[in-house]
Amino acid sequence: MKKLLIIGGGFAGFWSALSAIRQSRELKKEDELEVTLVNMDEYLTIRPRLYEVSLEGLRVELNKYFKQLNIKLIIGKAEIIDPDQKMVTVATESGSRILSYDYLILSSGSVLKAINIPGIENTFNVDTFYGAQKLENHLIQLAHKNFEGEGATTFVIAGSGLTGLEVATVIKEKANKILADYAKKAIDFKVVLIEKSGKVGNYYAPEAQDYVIETLNSKDITVVSGVSLAAVKNNGATLSDGHFIAAQTVISTIGLVASSLCSFFKGEKDKLGRLHVNEYLQLKEYTNVIAAGDVANIPVDDQGNSSLMACQFSMFLGKWAGHNAVNSLFGQPLKPYRYTDYVTCVDLGQQDGMLTSGWERKLVSSGIEGKNIKMEVTTKLIYPADDVLTALEDSYPEVPNVAQNAV
């Protein structure tokens, strides 16, 4: 019996597991393969939606798929990987377990970049389901007091990447929905978006950047650029220029780095801590390790672009990872990863959203049309099919033309 171990149950890990089962059936080797996945909880979290007004429906039960497909799920945290001994130490509620493997797929994802400033523990985030839940519970507590007290009606968002833009443009709506749930009147909240570079949205093409700035202005969001967070207390944030903003809610969206489990492997890593992999997603130094999702850096074209920490890459990397791991275990040819298409969808609150295309992120759709495309992608396209066997078929490693499908 060959043992395939997958670490992480996000988009890459989930699709790795399904793809492995599908391919083992294809090779008529299902009885010779044991697939085990280690995850911190029993859910596939729909991470791109954690900024939204409601957290309902943002988790998919892994065992709904795994039990039918005979995939073992271990709830715990992988803490130590010994690639030479082919062993992983996992902390579970009932103590440490040591798992052995013949082949390993590392899909342990990314975490918020650690920021070494005083009081960073006073910030909130929407990086994990528990982080988003903590923010929501905090807003509920404030709503009970009708957001009274200095800084209670001010939200500070640090970082204006895609997540920062989405949080900034949706947080008022989220807070007012909570007020409405308690039969309280809407409040005119203040949102302050902090951006350390000179201009918000500078990763977009000019037309798209202009649309972002116009939308922030139309939603009365204050943008403070050229500064960063210097310190955070539970009553406000101090900026790098010494300015203090009274706010009881400071949300950090300042970038992601790869899971620290990458450090157990030899080989070059990029500035985000990701492992460099070949076109089959394998690590050069090992014959039995594949990296997928946010821990993998793989070139996607000849212009120097590589995969990003984004769901649209993680899903496909997972489908390739499971397929190639099984083929490698049973001496079959591997399939090179191909993904040249790239789009970004961003939600900018009520009636507003944007679709951009290509690595220069050119504006394709905006306004309600852009919003609808974003909702179509995040509420339908990134969810696994409800039917387990359909999801299994969907795990085949091929990439549709995302840009064409979205418009």
Side-chain angles (χ1 to χ4, degrees):
M1 181 73 76
K2 306 271 191 189
K3 292 182 179 179
L4 171 61
L5 180 60
I6 302 166
I7 299 178
F11 289 104
F14 173 85
W15 285 109
S16 290
L18 266 65
S19 186
I21 294 295
R22 176 199 47 72
Q23 188 59 7
S24 71
R25 289 183 178 181
E26 181 73 21
L27 299 177
K28 299 188 169 37
K29 297 287 189 184
E30 192 180 4
D31 294 342
E32 298 175 41
L33 181 70
E34 179 184 275
V35 178
T36 302
L37 186 141
V38 175
N39 198 41
M40 300 272 276
D41 59 28
E42 60 267 43
Y43 301 103
L44 163 63
T45 295
I46 309 301
R47 197 177 181 192
R49 296 185 62 192
L50 291 176
Y51 71 92
E52 285 187 17
V53 170
S54 169
L55 298 179
E56 281 180 41
L58 303 194
R59 296 199 291 183
V60 175
E61 252 185 273
L62 290 171
N63 272 330
K64 172 185 169 178
Y65 299 85
F66 288 6
K67 280 191 171 162
Q68 191 173 323
L69 299 172
N70 205 24
I71 298 165
K72 290 185 178 177
L73 174 63
I74 294 176
I75 306 300
K77 184 182 181 186
E79 294 192 320
I80 301 167
I81 302 174
D82 185 338
D84 297 326
Q85 298 297 317
K86 298 189 283 192
M87 289 194 300
V88 177
T89 304
V90 179
T92 72
E93 273 190 358
S94 50
S96 272
R97 287 182 65 175
I98 293 178
L99 306 176
S100 62
Y101 62 83
D102 296 300
Y103 212 98
L104 180 72
I105 296 176
L106 184 71
S107 54
S108 47
S110 55
V111 294
L112 268 184
K113 198 183 291 179
I115 310 167
N116 187 21
I117 62 168
I120 191 65
E121 66 279 2
N122 295 313
T123 62
F124 295 89
N125 68 73
V126 292
D127 185 49
T128 63
F129 187 83
Y130 301 105
Q133 207 165 41
K134 186 180 171 188
L135 170 61
E136 190 165 285
N137 291 340
H138 168 71
L139 296 176
I140 288 168
Q141 285 181 330
L142 291 177
H144 279 306
K145 302 179 217 162
N146 214 36
F147 286 87
E148 285 169 3
E150 191 185 10
T153 59
T154 298
F155 304 123
V156 173
I157 289 87
S160 70
L162 295 185
T163 304
L165 293 177
E166 291 184 323
V167 172
T169 51
V170 170
I171 191 74
K172 291 185 195 182
E173 199 182 333
K174 187 177 180 77
N176 275 318
K177 181 193 175 289
I178 290 168
L179 280 169
D181 289 344
Y182 293 99
K184 298 191 177 190
K185 287 181 184 171
I187 288 173
D188 187 17
F189 293 100
K190 183 178 181 184
V191 177
V192 182
L193 183 60
I194 309 298
E195 170 50 52
K196 71 177 179 183
S197 72
K199 203 173 176 188
V200 164
N202 57 10
Y203 42 86
Y204 281 121
E207 197 184 352
Q209 185 180 25
D210 290 345
Y211 171 67
V212 167
I213 292 166
E214 281 167 26
T215 305
L216 294 174
N217 287 337
S218 72
K219 294 182 189 296
D220 200 23
I221 292 164
T222 303
V223 176
V224 184
S225 55
V227 294
S228 55
L229 275 185
V232 184
K233 293 184 177 174
N234 57 15
N235 67 340
T238 302
L239 306 184
S240 53
D241 62 359
H243 185 61
F244 179 79
I245 302 172
Q248 291 186 27
T249 310
V250 179
I251 304 167
S252 174
T253 65
I254 306 176
L256 299 171
V257 291
S259 155
S260 59
L261 293 176
C262 292
S263 64
F264 288 102
F265 298 92
K266 296 172 196 159
E268 189 191 351
K269 297 167 188 73
D270 69 9
K271 63 180 193 290
L272 301 176
R274 299 184 300 173
L275 296 156
H276 286 273
V277 296
N278 66 17
E279 62 178 345
Y280 305 112
L281 311 191
Q282 296 169 307
L283 272 61
K284 190 171 69 176
E285 291 77 6
Y286 306 90
T287 58
N288 64 340
V289 181
I290 273 176
D294 287 359
V295 294
N297 179 325
I298 181 165
V300 293
D301 60 24
D302 301 328
Q303 277 74 56
N305 294 306
S306 60
S307 57
L308 298 179
M309 290 180 168
C311 154
Q312 65 178 292
F313 288 98
S314 293
M315 288 171 64
F316 296 120
L317 285 166
K319 294 175 185 185
W320 256 267
H323 180 96
N324 281 346
V326 168
N327 274 10
S328 185
L329 276 169
F330 294 106
Q332 298 299 311
L334 306 191
K335 182 170 183 171
Y337 176 77
R338 294 285 178 262
Y339 187 107
T340 53
D341 196 23
Y342 174 56
V343 299
T344 63
C345 298
V346 63
D347 179 4
L348 296 171
Q350 290 173 317
Q351 308 297 311
D352 286 294
M354 181 170 73
L355 172 75
T356 68
S357 180
W359 291 94
E360 60 282 9
R361 297 186 173 105
K362 287 184 177 171
L363 186 62
V364 176
S365 298
S366 59
I368 192 66
E369 187 187 4
K371 170 90 169 185
N372 289 342
I373 292 167
K374 165 77 178 186
M375 292 299 107
E376 174 76 13
V377 169
T378 56
T379 62
K380 294 178 186 169
L381 297 183
I382 65 174
Y383 278 75
D386 203 44
D387 176 70
V388 176
L389 294 180
T390 304
L392 199 65
E393 283 174 28
D394 291 344
S395 72
Y396 186 78
E398 62 185 352
V399 178
N401 187 315
V402 183
Q404 266 181 13
N405 288 354
V407 291

